[in-house]
Amino acid sequence: MSKLQDTMFQEIRNKDIFKQSQQYAFEYLEEIFNRNIYPTEDAVNDLSNFDEDLPTNTTKSESVLKQLNEYGKDATIATLGGRYFGFVTGSVVPIGLAAKQLGTFWDQSSALYATSPIGSKLEAVVEKWFVDIFNLPKQTCAGFVSGTSVANVCGLAAARYRILQKNNWDINKKGLRNAPEIRIVSGKHAHSTILKAVSLLGLGQDNIEWVDVDNQGRIIPELIPELDKNTILILQAGNVNSGAFDNFDMICDKANKADAWIHIDGAFGLWAGTVEQLKHLTKGMEKASSWAVDGHKTLNTPYDSGIVLCADQEALTSALHASGSYLIESKARDGLFYTPEMSRRARIIELWAIMRYLGKNGIDEMILTMHLRAKQFENEISQISGFQVKNDVVFNQVVVKCESDELTDKVLNTIQNLGECWLGGSVWFGKKVMRVSVCSWATTEADISRSVASFEKALMMNK
Ligand SMILES: *Cc1c(COP(=O)(O)O)cnc(C)c1O
């Protein structure tokens, strides 16, 4: 045995580094719900501690952990807590952290049943749960990927495969050269990852037929051009600024009559479809062909967790086809047929644990509470003169602005520096806005009031 092997076996036996890592993690949990949301300048400057050449010699594990903890923890963003409203980020349901911790030790690759029976089983179970809670067509299959960016690529790849196959064109063999034309129709407020997916798939952003949106960012149904069997129609559940939903019920009927492929980007918004009081927002979404949704946003799973759902299993698995003489196909689920990757960490573990823990009612309650906190924010901020809410708060997003672009910028900057809460800016119909996304299970009434107070203070400081 080499000396290095011997040391590593000792670490496994005495478990000191694991205990130390857990202790650091617990200390982090103790403070992160109350810490400043954004790292201090000192903490960010201290990151220079990581600027070192690759060491020549092996060092001690304890010192690696110590360095990581000492200079790493304070340069994290407090997304676990209740006052982070940036992007659409989400916290983590505690059982998700615990399950992930256990799963870390298992270190499973959920490529095949043969590489992880437990990964395969949990994926099969959760796939059914998704079909059930979103009321999707029975045959709908799921691929567990890193996020909606990849889920969008997968859904659109399935669309591309199916449309060309209907034209007797095998995209996998022939590629796009001289291929029949695929049309893409989308609302002007599509998420940037839709553009990325269209580029990656060689469909060309210039080929998108853009449709105007209304004042909430929803595609205007009457302006959707004539669709046909060679068209991919891209819709949205949850506009990234306003949280608005396209009118699926009406649009999907029309698109299905034309035999078009409908893909819904529902990164955070699709979850409205599980909540009794909110499901009117996603009415008719089950009539689409593919859907992309995140676990790591509204459902509060750990990063990274996205799901592609596809009613046309053959299209999805053909589009993402994998072959190799050494692949051991089994009767059970082999995850790699539903995703672009071969090796993937078994992110299904945390997704399963959180859904198993919350149950249908818990998911409902958690997501409805996010909506109610967003409404609370809307109410409280509207009462302060100098702030205007620019969207209908139908879900979890609140778009806020001040009297001028300049003031909005300054106030946002001050809010970010005050450290009480954190949110980002955006542009909404040509105007600078602040974008509040309520998507943490941990956001309480008090967190909202405290954050609104910080908005008010920031406005005063810039008057
Ligand atoms: C966040 C988001 C995406 C991208 O999802 P990732 O999980 O970050 O890859 C796509 N579409 C919408 C509407 C989003 O909000």
Side-chain angles (χ1 to χ4, degrees):
M1 193 181 318
S2 79
K3 191 160 162 271
L4 181 58
Q5 270 180 310
D6 188 45
T7 317
M8 293 200 279
F9 274 121
Q10 264 180 46
E11 287 176 340
I12 296 281
R13 270 196 306 272
N14 68 31
K15 301 182 187 56
D16 289 347
I17 51 171
F18 308 121
K19 289 177 197 154
Q20 183 63 68
S21 141
Q22 191 178 47
Q23 193 186 323
Y24 287 149
F26 288 177
E27 285 163 14
Y28 186 78
L29 275 187
E30 288 296 322
E31 65 179 36
I32 199 60
F33 287 80
N34 292 309
R35 203 199 70 186
N36 48 299
I37 306 298
Y38 207 79
T40 61
E41 215 172 300
D42 284 349
V44 173
N45 289 338
D46 276 354
L47 287 173
S48 60
N49 267 284
F50 292 101
D51 293 326
E52 49 185 350
D53 293 333
L54 178 69
T56 309
N57 295 317
T58 304
T59 179
K60 284 202 174 340
S61 289
E62 299 81 56
S63 70
V64 175
L65 267 186
K66 184 159 186 276
Q67 181 188 11
L68 181 62
N69 185 58
E70 203 159 307
Y71 301 109
K73 73 173 165 52
D74 292 335
T76 60
I77 310 284
T79 52
L80 273 192
R83 280 172 286 107
Y84 183 81
F85 307 110
F87 307 95
V88 190
T89 298
S91 178
V92 182
V93 176
I95 185 64
L97 290 174
K100 187 177 180 193
Q101 194 179 28
L102 180 57
T104 293
F105 284 78
W106 294 354
D107 192 34
Q108 297 291 285
S109 161
S110 33
L112 297 164
Y113 176 83
T115 60
S116 181
I118 176 63
S120 162
K121 172 53 83 181
L122 295 183
E123 286 196 1
V125 168
V126 172
E127 178 181 68
K128 278 211 195 78
W129 289 353
F130 267 91
V131 171
D132 186 36
I133 60 172
F134 288 128
N135 200 21
L136 300 178
K138 269 202 188 57
Q139 77 283 5
T140 301
C141 62
F144 299 94
V145 294
S146 59
T148 292
S149 305
V150 176
N152 279 334
V153 172
C154 295
L156 297 183
R160 185 183 71 164
Y161 174 86
R162 180 55 80 209
I163 288 172
L164 291 178
Q165 184 271 335
K166 282 198 272 188
N167 286 276
N168 296 314
W169 189 272
D170 182 344
I171 175 72
N172 293 338
K173 293 211 170 98
K174 298 189 181 180
L176 281 174
R177 190 185 301 167
N178 302 322
E181 193 178 301
I182 296 175
R183 291 176 59 208
I184 309 155
V185 174
S186 170
K188 281 188 176 161
H189 277 198
H191 193 265
S192 62
T193 56
I194 289 291
L195 293 175
K196 181 186 277 202
V198 165
S199 314
L200 277 172
L201 292 166
L203 298 172
Q205 294 181 16
D206 285 355
N207 297 320
I208 301 177
E209 299 169 43
W210 292 111
V211 182
D212 262 331
V213 293
D214 66 14
N215 64 356
Q216 300 300 311
R218 294 172 295 217
I219 194 168
I220 300 174
E222 295 74 26
L223 298 184
I224 296 176
E226 203 61 44
L227 305 170
D228 59 38
K229 68 177 176 44
N230 293 333
T231 308
I232 306 172
L233 173 64
I234 298 169
L235 300 176
Q236 201 172 47
N239 178 290
V240 79
N241 287 308
S242 70
F245 295 70
D246 289 337
N247 183 341
F248 306 123
D249 209 28
M250 173 179 177
I251 300 169
C252 291
D253 282 342
K254 185 176 154 187
N256 281 328
K257 265 197 205 111
D259 202 19
W261 182 289
I262 308 161
H263 175 78
I264 298 180
D265 174 357
F268 64 95
L270 211 70
W271 290 102
T274 68
V275 183
E276 219 40 56
Q277 294 90 328
L278 298 172
K279 70 204 290 186
H280 61 97
L281 295 168
T282 59
K283 186 158 184 277
M285 70 127 160
E286 68 283 354
K287 294 184 249 184
S289 325
S290 56
W291 305 262
V293 60
D294 272 324
H296 56 223
K297 290 179 177 170
T298 319
L299 190 65
N300 283 214
T301 72
Y303 282 99
D304 45 9
S305 181
I307 302 102
V308 56
L309 296 154
C310 187
D312 184 342
Q313 171 166 2
E314 190 195 57
L316 185 73
T317 55
S318 302
L320 305 174
H321 84 298
S323 54
S325 53
Y326 63 93
L327 288 181
I328 311 165
E329 283 186 49
S330 70
K331 288 207 179 64
R333 178 190 166 93
D334 290 315
L336 67 75
F337 294 111
Y338 305 87
T339 59
E341 311 96 326
M342 178 170 282
S343 305
R344 275 174 309 134
R345 72 181 191 88
R347 56 175 67 89
I348 192 64
I349 292 170
E350 308 97 73
L351 181 56
W352 168 83
I354 286 172
M355 292 180 80
R356 172 75 177 73
Y357 163 76
L358 289 173
K360 171 93 183 65
N361 288 343
I363 294 173
D364 269 28
E365 184 182 325
M366 182 176 80
I367 296 171
L368 182 64
T369 303
M370 292 171 190
H371 169 64
L372 296 175
R373 292 292 78 78
K375 294 300 282 183
Q376 182 194 345
F377 192 97
E378 178 194 20
N379 285 337
E380 292 187 11
I381 202 79
S382 302
Q383 283 160 28
I384 301 170
S385 90
F387 289 116
Q388 296 165 15
V389 172
K390 299 305 289 178
N391 68 319
D392 296 341
V393 181
V394 294
F395 192 40
N396 68 326
Q397 303 287 114
V398 192
V399 176
V400 184
K401 72 180 275 297
C402 302
E403 268 140 38
S404 66
D405 276 3
E406 197 197 345
L407 189 58
T408 301
D409 269 346
K410 280 193 195 154
V411 170
L412 176 60
N413 197 270
T414 308
I415 294 168
Q416 289 174 343
N417 289 332
L418 286 171
E420 285 279 292
C421 62
W422 200 93
L423 60 147
S426 187
V427 175
W428 183 242
F429 290 102
K431 294 272 187 272
K432 295 268 181 82
V433 293
M434 297 180 270
R435 202 171 145 275
V436 179
S437 180
V438 184
C439 52
S440 164
W441 66 264
T443 302
T444 62
E445 283 103 326
D447 284 320
I448 295 291
S449 298
R450 187 168 159 187
S451 303
V452 170
S454 187
F455 272 62
E456 189 169 22
K457 184 170 174 193
L459 184 63
M460 303 271 281
M461 287 165 70
N462 285 285
K463 276 253 156 113

